[in-house]
Amino acid sequence: MNCTVNCTPDGRYNRQQAAAYLGISAKTLANYAVRGLGPRCGKVGGRVFYFQDDLNSFIHQGWIS
């Protein structure tokens, strides 16, 4: 499967884009956030976002294989 995920110029992803980048569902990523287990995320105007560096750190920590 070939999937392209776009982010903003500063490297931000919304939850759906971040989940696609990680290869998991957006619901799983939301559950991780609620439980404090997922990659670091931020909120602006009620919208959740993730930075690519935080997603890569999450992968390198062994959460995603």
Side-chain angles (χ1 to χ4, degrees):
M1 180 172 114
N2 191 0
C3 178
T4 302
V5 178
N6 296 318
C7 65
T8 61
D10 63 354
R12 282 184 293 160
Y13 293 84
N14 65 32
R15 180 165 283 147
Q16 289 74 24
Q17 293 166 327
Y21 184 83
L22 296 172
I24 59 176
S25 74
K27 187 172 182 176
T28 298
L29 191 54
N31 285 333
Y32 283 169
V34 168
R35 295 170 43 202
L37 300 175
R40 189 172 63 160
C41 62
K43 258 189 179 177
V44 174
R47 294 182 184 247
V48 176
F49 65 90
Y50 299 82
F51 283 103
Q52 186 171 9
D53 289 341
D54 295 325
L55 297 175
N56 289 334
S57 293
F58 186 67
I59 292 168
H60 292 299
Q61 290 172 4
W63 281 88
I64 304 295
S65 55

